[in-house]
Amino acid sequence: MKRSITTKIIGCFYICGAVVILFSIGVNQDVNINERVGLSFLPELYVRIFISIFWIVMSYGYLNLKKWGYWIMLIYSIYITVVSINLAFTYQNQNQIFIGNIMLSSIIIIYTFDERLSFG
């Protein structure tokens, strides 16, 4: 099967995001990455490194239309949607960050599910 342009965009988006997260180590943010991904009980540095590696591996599988890449992307997007909904209510003064995450993850869920036959 041939990979669609949207699949390429989603995969590349996560690879670029992984690189940005690594380059932003030490930069203070209003809401840390470990909180954004629902792992606030873990140290920020470890979560940044883990998420970066995880995103690269997930993107590799997704871009190469692997079945495991499909499932990891789908499960991760559902997880982030749920975490972001919870955090949008917790951080009401900064909920635009989480509303954006909810919207992006929802689009990825819908698109990935729609393209499920491409993954094999």
Side-chain angles (χ1 to χ4, degrees), residues 39-71:
L39 300 173
S40 58
F41 55 90
L42 295 174
E44 172 77 8
L45 177 63
Y46 297 143
V47 172
R48 282 178 180 264
I49 293 168
F50 170 75
I51 287 296
S52 295
I53 293 168
F54 177 77
W55 282 1
I56 290 168
V57 170
M58 178 177 67
S59 297
Y60 173 81
Y62 194 76
L63 286 169
N64 289 302
L65 303 176
K66 303 290 185 188
K67 190 66 119 181
W68 59 265
Y70 165 82
W71 282 109

Side-chain angles (χ1 to χ4, degrees), residues 35-115:
E35 290 184 59
R36 289 184 198 185
V37 296
L39 300 173
S40 58
F41 55 90
L42 295 174
E44 172 77 8
L45 177 63
Y46 297 143
V47 172
R48 282 178 180 264
I49 293 168
F50 170 75
I51 287 296
S52 295
I53 293 168
F54 177 77
W55 282 1
I56 290 168
V57 170
M58 178 177 67
S59 297
Y60 173 81
Y62 194 76
L63 286 169
N64 289 302
L65 303 176
K66 303 290 185 188
K67 190 66 119 181
W68 59 265
Y70 165 82
W71 282 109
I72 291 174
M73 182 66 77
L74 197 61
I75 291 167
Y76 177 76
S77 296
I78 292 168
Y79 170 76
I80 286 300
T81 301
V82 171
V83 168
S84 295
I85 289 169
N86 181 38
L87 291 173
F89 289 108
T90 303
Y91 292 97
Q92 290 183 358
N93 60 335
Q94 297 170 338
N95 65 1
Q96 68 274 8
I97 295 168
F98 306 110
I99 291 171
N101 284 349
I102 294 164
M103 290 172 33
L104 179 62
S105 294
S106 298
I107 290 167
I108 291 172
I109 291 166
I110 292 165
Y111 175 78
T112 299
F113 182 75
D114 189 50
E115 291 290 313

Side-chain angles (χ1 to χ4, degrees), residues 21 23-33 36 44-45 48 94 97:
I21 286 174
F23 280 127
S24 67
I25 289 176
V27 176
N28 291 330
Q29 299 177 349
D30 292 337
V31 182
N32 290 330
I33 296 295
R36 289 184 198 185
E44 172 77 8
L45 177 63
R48 282 178 180 264
Q94 297 170 338
I97 295 168

